[in-house]
Amino acid sequence: MNEKVLVVGSGGREHAIIRQLSISPAELSLYCTPGNPGTSELATNISLDTGTNDEIVKFCVDNNIDLVIIGPEDPLINGMSDALRNAGILVFGPGEAGARLEGDKEYAKELMKAANVPTASYKPFSSYNDAVNYIESADFPLVVKACGAAQGKGVAVCETKSEAEEHLSICFNDNQFGDAGQQIIIEDCLVGPELSVLVITDGDSYALLAPSRDHKRVGEADTGPNTGGMGAFATGELVPDGLGKVICDQVVDPVLAELKKRNIDYRGVLYVGLMLTEDGPQVLEFNTRFGDPETQVVLPLLNCDFFELTRSVAQHGLAKYLGQISDSNAAPLNWPGNGITFWGKTAMVVVGTAAGYPGSYPKGDKIDLPDDSEFAWIVHAGTKMENEKLVTSGGRVLGAVGIADEFTTASEKAYALISETNFKGMNYRSDIGAGFNKENDDG
Ligand code: AMP
Ligand code: GLY
């Protein structure tokens, strides 16, 4: 039977989601709204207003859409999943109450405290003066975070008082993040390598996707301001034996239990951003959606049908689905992935950004793309078609993905591809995964 799937969003994450759906053995008709030139090659792009819920609900009802996968945080925070579910549509993505874990960092901290989840200690502030008074006598470095969703740019790790004052002023006085920055938290600075863990859950059962690492700073060697993400890689080698269980015991199980206790029906991805400190993993943040660019590297490592996986979550039937696949995918895993991740491979994505990003940047520059191959492909993000030419239209323009058995080969493939890609002023980090490689070489 032909099933109709709608993906909401227009970035690299959504192109990766559509791509993964397109290789499902199921007979699918794929739609993406608003989509991008990459998704248009595999799905029908539909122009709908994703800023409100009405048009999406109407489209889904009128067109008998069988499953909706919501990519970005804003529609989740704005209750798009609830609106669709109320109209009888299956959705992969938490409702407004669940998405608050991402949309309100103070709430996430409070929930972590209630669930006894390891995280940096913090103080909330709703005025510039109170926050500035606090940092007068605080120890540095510390971290200032806008509580609302600010596209990865609301967080500043501050080495000095003046850096902290500057970020506080950006939040409160310049109002750069709007309401999202009028409530902030100041938290202790943690040290260690970071790890992104994407947990697929229907609230009762869960499975972890391959462990991955993002590179958030714009500059080489993790310098400069935070961005939405400059590149990522996924490999089983990121996690020592036993760490998966620690993450489940200390973070995933207690958070899911706490959500249940609060009567929150959570169906989608819980993205756990961790710092692996000397005292064990500590949660930096939760996102309530697939990470971008992590999705570009974790989905290609899936060892199961992504459509069936997401539909089972939307139907609240993940346990049953995992039961069906675990027999056929009895891979020896040291990771609570329940057989859904193909452990032997690694993947890397290098993001090509417009000159000036994450500050202001030009748009409309012509893009020349290399050919994709079976294990190396371009994921579109900020691109669009203009007069039949592909041009830049966002800060993170595209990503070059490489897949291989060996980490270094995946890296070579991704870098070979990005070096064959061209648009005016393209910037990319040449050290995605370099620290990890070094850790490995040293270790
Ligand atoms: P967040 O959006 O909360 O994940 O923060 C974005 C980035 O800021 C993280 O990926 C870290 O690199 C950094 N960061 C956030 N919180 C902390 C912290 N408490 N200590 C050190 N770095 C942090
Ligand atoms: N890559 C970080 C995020 O998706 O928020």
Side-chain angles (χ1 to χ4, degrees), residues 148-407:
Q151 298 186 329
K153 296 166 201 162
V155 173
V157 178
C158 306
E159 300 293 334
T160 62
K161 203 167 79 182
S162 65
E163 279 174 26
E165 273 171 7
E166 191 184 326
H167 197 66
L168 288 171
S169 193
I170 287 173
C171 291
F172 285 114
N173 304 335
D174 304 349
N175 208 19
Q176 194 170 312
F177 312 117
D179 285 350
Q182 291 300 321
Q183 185 73 36
I184 62 116
I185 56 175
I186 298 182
E187 68 177 39
D188 291 351
C189 190
L190 302 169
V191 181
E194 289 184 42
L195 186 72
S196 302
V197 178
L198 277 65
V199 183
I200 301 284
T201 182
D202 63 359
D204 286 314
S205 303
Y206 65 86
L208 273 50
L209 300 185
S212 61
R213 179 171 296 159
D214 187 9
H215 295 61
K216 292 207 173 83
R217 301 292 192 97
V218 70
E220 313 269 318
D222 290 333
T223 52
N226 270 331
T227 68
M230 296 295 289
F233 62 92
T235 168
E237 292 170 62
L238 264 170
V239 284
D241 270 353
L243 182 65
K245 184 168 179 339
V246 172
I247 294 169
C248 290
D249 290 349
Q250 297 189 359
V251 182
V252 184
D253 289 325
V255 169
L256 295 184
E258 185 64 30
L259 287 168
K260 262 196 122 125
K261 201 165 131 193
R262 297 179 185 209
N263 285 322
I264 295 172
D265 170 14
Y266 197 102
R267 284 178 266 173
V269 190
L270 177 67
Y271 165 128
V272 183
L274 293 165
M275 188 80 97
L276 305 179
T277 74
E278 281 184 351
D279 301 326
Q282 305 257 338
V283 175
L284 294 175
E285 65 165 341
F286 292 122
N287 293 319
T288 57
R289 47 159 177 91
F290 284 108
D292 189 344
E294 288 93 329
T295 304
Q296 287 84 312
V297 288
V298 296
L299 293 193
L301 304 189
L302 271 179
N303 195 19
C304 69
D305 179 351
F306 183 59
F307 166 67
E308 291 295 351
L309 179 69
T310 48
R311 181 170 66 171
S312 75
V313 166
Q315 286 172 328
H316 215 131
L318 181 61
K320 190 163 158 229
Y321 178 64
L322 294 176
Q324 283 165 10
I325 61 165
S326 55
D327 287 347
S328 55
N329 290 352
L333 300 182
N334 66 349
W335 184 245
N338 283 314
I340 66 170
T341 288
F342 193 63
W343 201 246
K345 291 214 182 283
T346 74
M348 179 176 287
V349 61
V350 178
V351 174
T353 61
Y357 174 81
S360 57
Y361 48 81
K363 292 182 184 175
D365 288 312
K366 185 171 161 293
I367 305 171
D368 293 316
L369 290 184
D371 289 334
D372 286 354
S373 66
E374 192 182 357
F375 295 111
W377 56 78
I378 293 290
V379 171
H380 289 244
T383 70
K384 72 170 181 183
M385 293 303 291
E386 204 170 69
N387 302 325
E388 291 173 29
K389 284 204 181 86
L390 186 69
V391 299
T392 62
S393 70
R396 291 194 291 173
V397 175
L398 46 76
V401 177
I403 312 284
D405 292 335
E406 301 293 329
F407 180 79

Side-chain angles (χ1 to χ4, degrees), residues 1-3 21-29 305 307-308 311:
M1 200 179 84
N2 187 288
E3 309 266 356
L21 290 168
S22 77
I23 58 172
S24 165
E27 206 183 300
L28 302 179
S29 297
D305 179 351
F307 166 67
E308 291 295 351
R311 181 170 66 171

Side-chain angles (χ1 to χ4, degrees), residues 101-117:
L101 270 184
E102 171 160 4
D104 181 350
K105 284 186 193 286
E106 191 184 346
Y107 172 76
K109 282 289 199 185
E110 179 272 311
L111 187 138
M112 280 189 263
K113 214 167 157 184
N116 208 12
V117 168

